[in-house]
Amino acid sequence: MSTYAIRIFGDPILRQRATEVANIDGRLVSLADDMIETMYEAPGVGLAATQIGIDKRLFVYDVGDGPQVIVNPEITESRGEWDFEEGCLSVPGLHWNIVRPKEVHLRGVDLDGNEVSMDADEYLARVFQHELDHLNGVLLLERLDADTHRQAMKTLRSRVLSGAGFSTPRPEEPAL
Ligand code: ZN
């Protein structure tokens, strides 16, 4: 297993919609292993393939029950509202309270090719929504209200201009 560099805000692949996985083969399994290792090293609780520059629709996560991989995920239902302070490994050191649906139903395929169909609530639902956004080329910045978004872009630009980069202290909450 090996780890990948996590792509950071500004990298064009983070704005692209990833391509469906056509075949689950040994290469995909080893990619998933590397994604899991990269996620743990970050440390994070979720990681989408596009975050390491791979144009494939899969993400990995671990909310405390061991690592899981979902291939070609889709959210088929969502309901309610839940406010949660969300961070992203691709926008390191920053986090915002974001309201998203509280419950979702996720469908996809696992690495054995078996269909996955599950309900998720609160934190797990948030992980799924965040990672699926990544596969659709959407960053959490786009989930902010207009004022917060403007402020966030100002902060991000000033970091780039000052050369401060993103080597800020790690947030207390692991990011996604
Ligand atoms: Zn993220």
Side-chain angles (χ1 to χ4, degrees):
M1 289 203 282
S2 51
T3 59
Y4 284 78
I6 293 176
R7 302 297 180 94
I8 300 300
F9 169 80
D11 191 310
I13 195 159
L14 295 172
R15 297 290 186 185
Q16 283 175 30
R17 187 187 188 278
T19 305
E20 261 77 18
V21 172
N23 290 306
I24 297 171
D25 54 15
R27 281 182 57 199
L28 194 80
V29 172
S30 105
L31 170 65
D33 284 344
D34 289 345
M35 285 173 63
I36 290 165
E37 201 183 345
T38 303
M39 171 181 76
Y40 287 145
E41 191 192 58
V45 297
L47 186 76
T50 45
Q51 287 182 279
I52 55 163
I54 303 286
D55 177 24
K56 287 186 193 302
R57 296 186 79 76
L58 78 154
F59 65 72
V60 300
Y61 68 96
D62 183 349
V63 292
D65 303 321
Q68 310 287 337
V69 182
I70 309 284
V71 179
N72 294 338
E74 46 176 338
I75 287 173
T76 55
E77 285 168 56
S78 57
R79 74 178 81 85
E81 279 189 351
W82 194 55
D83 188 2
F84 179 72
E85 191 176 344
E86 203 173 316
C88 178
L89 294 171
S90 296
V91 192
L94 296 172
H95 24 90
W96 298 272
N97 277 80
I98 298 176
V99 177
R100 298 192 193 237
K102 180 174 174 291
E103 295 166 53
V104 300
H105 190 82
L106 184 90
R107 287 180 185 276
V109 180
D110 69 18
L111 285 180
D112 297 317
N114 297 316
E115 202 179 301
V116 173
S117 176
M118 65 171 136
D119 290 314
D121 194 12
E122 296 193 342
Y123 188 50
L124 184 58
R126 181 59 57 110
V127 172
F128 289 166
Q129 292 172 83
H130 184 107
E131 302 312 333
L132 195 58
D133 266 2
H134 273 305
L135 298 179
N136 291 330
V138 174
L139 289 173
L140 80 173
L141 297 162
E142 289 161 61
R143 300 296 182 191
L144 303 174
D145 64 58
D147 281 348
T148 315
H149 183 265
R150 211 171 297 126
Q151 203 55 47
M153 295 308 286
K154 229 169 113 180
T155 306
L156 290 168
R157 263 185 236 114
S158 71
R159 282 198 194 181
V160 172
L161 290 175
S162 70
F166 290 95
S167 55
T168 50
R170 285 178 172 163
E172 282 156 36
E173 285 289 325
L176 303 169

